[in-house]
Amino acid sequence: MSVRILALVGSLRTGSHNRQLAEAAAKHAPSGVDIELFEGLAEVPFYNEDTDVEGGVPAAAARLREVAGQADAFLLFSPEYNGTMPAVLKNAIDWLSRPYGAGAISGKPVAVVGTAFGQYGGVWAQDDARKSVGIAGAVVLEDVKLSIPGSVTRFADTHPADDAEVVTALTEVLGKVHSAASAAA
């Protein structure tokens, strides 16, 4: 069974190592796994129930929900900003959690991975993202983890797609997400 995974990257920076990590996942996705990197998180306004009404949902948020609704599973790439996940990733989770109990992320498998400059690779941010997306109704794959420390130096001259250790770890992550999505179907 082919599984469609939507990748949400929590960094908007052009040279983001988490963006590069998502690109590496897409490049090295095993057979049966299609990864789509969502473009446009920067355009999604902060979640506001006043605008989340029929005819009032901002176009960028509606597009996020539409693309997410077509996904079988999600892979969140989170850097660590001041010890937690970036606002853009939390905002995406908020939009995807509504309507409550029936949001585009509800009941779907989600794994959270990432890289950060610190010595722990962003584990606090990733743990916060898992907590938030689980409360939002997703099926969090708690045993699927990948935190790559020292991103600034590790990926200074090497793209994650060319790092054999990273590619092996990403392939394992993708295999587990594929299995979870296939079991949920």
Side-chain angles (χ1 to χ4, degrees):
M1 171 187 162
S2 184
V3 171
R4 186 169 179 214
I5 299 172
L6 184 61
L8 301 177
V9 180
S11 175
L12 302 177
R13 188 172 61 83
T14 303
S16 162
H17 295 119
N18 279 282
R19 169 71 183 203
Q20 292 176 1
L21 193 60
E23 292 167 352
K27 179 178 180 178
H28 294 288
S31 178
V33 175
D34 296 313
I35 298 178
E36 178 180 352
L37 275 71
F38 184 81
E39 303 291 347
L41 282 184
E43 286 77 42
V44 178
F46 284 118
Y47 183 78
N48 180 341
E49 282 187 82
D50 291 341
T51 61
D52 191 9
V53 294
E54 189 173 334
V57 176
R63 184 174 160 275
L64 172 63
R65 284 178 172 169
E66 179 183 345
V67 173
Q70 298 167 2
D72 299 307
F74 297 84
L75 190 52
L76 309 184
F77 292 84
S78 184
E80 190 166 274
Y81 293 176
N82 297 314
T84 192
M85 76 177 121
V88 69
L89 189 56
K90 174 64 168 71
N91 189 50
I93 293 168
D94 290 346
W95 277 105
L96 294 175
S97 72
R98 300 290 190 265
Y100 182 76
I105 208 163
S106 185
K108 293 182 181 179
V110 176
V112 181
V113 299
T115 185
F117 180 62
Q119 66 181 336
Y120 302 113
V123 294
W124 290 347
Q126 294 166 32
D127 286 345
D128 286 348
R130 284 184 198 92
K131 176 183 173 186
S132 181
V133 78
I135 291 169
V139 177
V140 178
L141 304 178
E142 293 285 352
D143 64 330
V144 181
K145 296 181 179 180
L146 176 60
S147 301
I148 304 168
S151 61
V152 173
T153 53
R154 181 168 189 157
F155 301 127
D157 298 320
T158 304
H159 191 286
D162 300 323
D163 183 315
E165 183 182 6
V166 169
V167 170
T168 298
L170 279 173
T171 303
E172 289 176 22
V173 165
L174 294 171
K176 291 176 181 179
V177 175
H178 179 273
S179 294
S182 296

